Amino acid sequence: MTQPSARYTPFAKALHWIVAALVIVQYTTAFLLPHIGRKTAPSDIISLHFSMGVLIMLVMIVRLARRLLHPVALEAGDAALWERVLAKATHWLIYLILIVSPVLGWASASAHSLAVGLFGLPLPALAAPGTAWANQAGDIHSTAMWALLWLIGLHILAALYHHLLRRDGTLLRMVPAHHAKN
């Protein structure tokens, strides 16, 4: 296995901030969505939400592959064990939710006879209309998105804790223009 680096590459930083921007847009579209049910008519906001979900999933798959091939230590060496465990768990849960939840939403959309595409490129349905498991996938998708909001909040608070209280440079490692020494 590759030894973790102390630094994020410009590509890794770009992927992080691209996903952050996409997630902000995605939550905005989610709050504008109508209630999704059997009789929900397709709309531009629904199509945008589906496209953004697929795009987030694709970028996160690239991030995951990049992270597995080029690991970066999450915490400074002097961090307490609980901090390292919490940081690792938070990051992996964010990855998991951002890769799996779009699939769950896609399956739910399919069950509700709503076409999923990527900015006009049609994608295949993942379930037949009315499929029970796909309807449940939609409920799991919604719950996962609320959990993700909490995890993002924890992630932001941890970054601020490191920057403002510990002053250990953890936050600066992910700032696009910053070049850490090590």
Side-chain angles (χ1 to χ4, degrees), residues 133-168:
W133 73 264
N135 283 324
Q136 289 178 327
D139 295 337
I140 296 167
H141 171 80
S142 295
T143 301
M145 291 300 91
W146 285 107
L148 180 63
L149 268 181
W150 283 98
L151 289 169
I152 290 169
L154 179 62
H155 183 68
I156 291 168
L157 286 174
L160 292 173
Y161 163 75
H162 280 278
H163 188 69
L164 299 172
L165 298 177
R166 296 222 19 215
R167 300 180 188 271
D168 61 9

